[in-house]
Amino acid sequence: MRRTGLLAAAAALVAGALVWPTAHRAAAAPAVFTHPGVTVSQGQLDFARTKVLAGAQPWKGAYDQMMASRYADPNRTPKPRAVVECGSYSNPNYGCTDEREDAIAAYTNALAWYVTRDARYAQKSIQLMDAWSAVITDHTNSNAPLQTGWAGSSWPKAAEIIKYTYTGGWPNSGRFATMLRDVYLPEIINGSNSNGNWELSMMEAAVGISVFLEDRASYDKAMAKFRTRTAAYVYLASDGSLPKTVPSQNLDTRDKIVKYWQGQSTFVTGLTQETCRDFTHTGYGISALSHVAETSRIQGQDLYGTDVGERLRQALGFQSKYELGTAAPSWLCGGTLHLGLGPVTEVGYNALHNRLGVAMTNTETLTRRNRPAGSNNLFVAWETLTHGDNPS
């Protein structure tokens, strides 16, 4: 009987019919999604609101910074277009900046609504989301996947707050969901073999969109790609003599891997695949990594306690050290680094240091130096406000 049972289990595994318990799987969509639940939770919003209304720092300063930005302009006019065409380095730029910034503005106004409970901000957020959902049909040219990932990361953050906290109604929320499902998700869900920040940003958008759509299959697919890419983006000594790779990229020799890692041939814990390209693109990858981990935590599976958290901690610490002014040794990127990490440390620092008690001296110093963290005008915005020393 025991042998028969084992054979049946093996056959079921081959057939894909047997599912390992959740703890052993790379990711699992929740049985019931938590809303609002894309990067920022209801508890985090409540904490930030309480601090702002009390005039406490750094949250009040972060809120004031947000409200003084162009994204909170009550006279902002959305600029949707049917086809957004984005070439390499946004050349051409037909609607690329407009789309990204309208999405950030929708999120900004959603946050302003939550803090103030002034319906005008919610209505502005809705106006921006409705304008785009009425018009857009496609993203084209070489940067289409990245553009879709960037804009697609901000839209669901805005939509989650409005749909689940604004009681004034959003008649076109279904049309907005259709836009995310039909225009955004197909462009990003299958991933990318470009530099790692592309796929990490694309999976951030795919995970966020999946939460808003309550699409468990897409959530699981995106999360699995995210786990594979994260392991291939941040090196840990425990990975062995060479970094992990994404199978579809066929990086099957040391020479191929070194070339993909921007010519870097010495691998140390915390190094990322784009460290020797520049810290700005590295920051995009680190930010997307932290956003997906935060969304996953809100949805009930805490990735911070897995290799994702360790890779995030080490990537933040390694990059922060040099961003703070430590000179690069000759073995690292030929001794020359291109700095400019961006406002990307708050989410990971809060989760790992404040919530889990992990020592992060360099990251803490950089985070506090850069407060309040603003927007990178692509897909990161206002994270001192939403995540700065936030225990929720």
Side-chain angles (χ1 to χ4, degrees), residues 70-71 86 89-90 93 96-105 107 143 146-155 157 184 197 201 204-205 278-285 287 291 340-344 374-383:
R70 64 182 180 273
Y71 300 112
C86 307
Y89 293 96
S90 291
N93 181 342
C96 315
T97 302
D98 292 337
E99 179 189 28
R100 293 193 305 265
E101 297 199 351
D102 277 350
I104 293 173
Y107 177 53
N143 263 29
L146 183 60
Q147 171 71 20
T148 308
W150 282 342
S153 295
S154 297
W155 287 131
K157 288 192 289 190
Y184 286 79
N197 82 86
S201 290
E204 176 188 343
D278 58 63
F279 274 30
T280 302
H281 285 89
T282 299
Y284 299 164
S287 180
H291 291 166
L341 195 61
V344 303
S375 175
N376 70 356
N377 304 314
L378 298 172
F379 69 104
V380 180
W382 324 127
E383 293 182 349

Side-chain angles (χ1 to χ4, degrees), residues 128-140:
L128 290 157
M129 291 188 284
D130 283 355
W132 280 89
S133 70
V135 172
I136 190 168
T137 61
D138 201 10
H139 296 89
T140 63

Side-chain angles (χ1 to χ4, degrees), residues 352-381:
L352 294 164
H353 177 73
N354 293 334
R355 202 178 290 129
L356 298 181
V358 177
M360 299 176 72
T361 306
N362 291 324
T363 306
E364 179 174 10
T365 300
L366 183 62
T367 299
R368 296 193 181 283
R369 188 184 79 176
N370 289 347
R371 283 179 173 171
S375 175
N376 70 356
N377 304 314
L378 298 172
F379 69 104
V380 180

Side-chain angles (χ1 to χ4, degrees), residues 31-203:
V32 178
F33 284 95
T34 297
H35 303 289
V38 177
T39 308
V40 61
S41 68
Q42 182 101 42
Q44 289 169 322
L45 289 167
D46 287 340
F47 175 85
R49 178 174 191 257
T50 298
K51 291 296 187 182
V52 172
L53 295 181
Q57 299 297 354
W59 306 276
K60 180 60 165 63
Y63 176 78
D64 290 344
Q65 174 198 43
M66 179 182 80
M67 297 309 294
S69 76
R70 64 182 180 273
Y71 300 112
D73 182 357
N75 298 313
R76 183 181 188 88
T77 302
K79 298 179 180 177
R81 60 170 62 217
V83 177
V84 174
E85 183 180 356
C86 307
S88 182
Y89 293 96
S90 291
N91 183 24
N93 181 342
Y94 298 135
C96 315
T97 302
D98 292 337
E99 179 189 28
R100 293 193 305 265
E101 297 199 351
D102 277 350
I104 293 173
Y107 177 53
T108 299
N109 278 277
L111 289 173
W113 142 255
Y114 199 88
V115 171
T116 64
R117 302 302 159 95
D118 184 334
R120 289 174 294 183
Y121 293 119
Q123 290 158 7
K124 190 67 181 181
S125 183
I126 289 169
Q127 179 199 13
L128 290 157
M129 291 188 284
D130 283 355
W132 280 89
S133 70
V135 172
I136 190 168
T137 61
D138 201 10
H139 296 89
T140 63
N141 215 316
S142 59
N143 263 29
L146 183 60
Q147 171 71 20
T148 308
W150 282 342
S153 295
S154 297
W155 287 131
K157 288 192 289 190
E160 282 280 299
I161 294 171
I162 295 300
K163 182 173 180 179
Y164 292 100
T165 72
Y166 176 57
T167 56
W170 181 15
N172 290 315
S173 63
R175 187 179 73 194
F176 185 82
T178 298
M179 175 191 81
L180 294 180
R181 182 181 296 107
D182 295 349
V183 179
Y184 286 79
L185 199 54
E187 186 69 47
I188 55 178
I189 192 63
N190 292 316
S192 166
N193 287 324
S194 185
N195 282 299
N197 82 86
W198 277 52
E199 187 161 81
L200 288 169
S201 290
M202 291 162 68
M203 292 310 105

